[in-house]
Amino acid sequence: MPYDIDVQVDPALQLDVPTADLRDMAANALAVLGQPGDAEMAIIVTTDDGIRELNRGFRSMDEPTDVLSFAAAEGPEFVLPEGLPPYLGDVIISLPTAQRQAAERGGTLRAELALLVAHGCLHLVGYDHATPEQQRAMWAVQESILARLGIAPPRDL
């Protein structure tokens, strides 16, 4: 797939899913979302402490979470030189939280990471789940992304 997806993994972590799989998950999500083929984004896999620090700093929530998204379109306006590909933003995933959630749901880490990548990509392009209507719409697209990857959505969503 043509997307430029940078994957960074905290060196303290042992990720048992190839980073190429994370790129593929994101590329499939971006394709379902109709994003241009030259779009760029980053996926950062971190610790609970790492995501907790971000969650505290940006959302005033002093606790770890599973995924955070920082959409480039939501930040301060920054003028880029003409002709650069669109940068969508960053998706940050806590690997320890993803591992716990996979175990709690009786699923695989790969399936949990696919869910979190899809969820993060949806936020990058403007989806939200603050209201029941928004959540229904977001979950429907999320399920179609997971289906494209051959992954059934968790039953508890």
Side-chain angles (χ1 to χ4, degrees):
M1 301 212 166
Y3 302 103
D4 184 0
I5 301 163
D6 181 38
V7 177
Q8 302 171 30
V9 180
D10 184 312
L13 296 172
Q14 174 66 42
L15 179 61
D16 296 328
V17 173
T19 57
D21 285 4
L22 296 177
R23 280 187 198 89
D24 184 58
M25 293 168 188
N28 275 282
L30 297 179
V32 167
L33 295 167
Q35 294 303 298
D38 62 345
E40 299 178 353
M41 64 170 287
I43 299 171
I44 295 105
V45 181
T46 190
T47 63
D48 276 348
D49 287 341
I51 208 162
R52 179 183 191 156
E53 185 177 323
L54 291 169
N55 208 19
R56 180 177 50 241
F58 289 95
R59 298 177 64 221
S60 299
M61 299 178 77
D62 191 13
E63 61 191 20
T65 188
D66 52 2
V67 62
L68 290 172
S69 296
F70 295 98
E74 292 179 7
E77 192 164 328
F78 187 76
V79 179
L80 295 172
E82 196 171 312
L84 285 181
Y87 188 75
L88 300 176
D90 303 334
V91 172
I92 296 91
I93 296 171
S94 170
L95 182 60
T97 298
Q99 291 167 325
R100 282 192 304 276
Q101 288 177 174
E104 289 166 4
R105 291 183 171 137
T108 66
L109 177 59
R110 183 181 183 284
E112 188 67 24
L113 289 171
L115 172 66
L116 297 176
V117 167
H119 191 87
C121 288
L122 282 158
H123 280 301
L124 291 184
V125 301
Y127 280 84
D128 201 357
H129 46 86
T131 68
E133 296 79 21
Q134 290 174 329
Q135 182 175 329
R136 276 192 295 278
M138 186 172 176
W139 268 223
V141 178
Q142 189 169 268
E143 285 185 22
S144 68
I145 293 167
L146 293 174
R148 181 176 170 136
L149 294 168
I151 295 171
R155 291 181 298 274
D156 61 345
L157 289 183

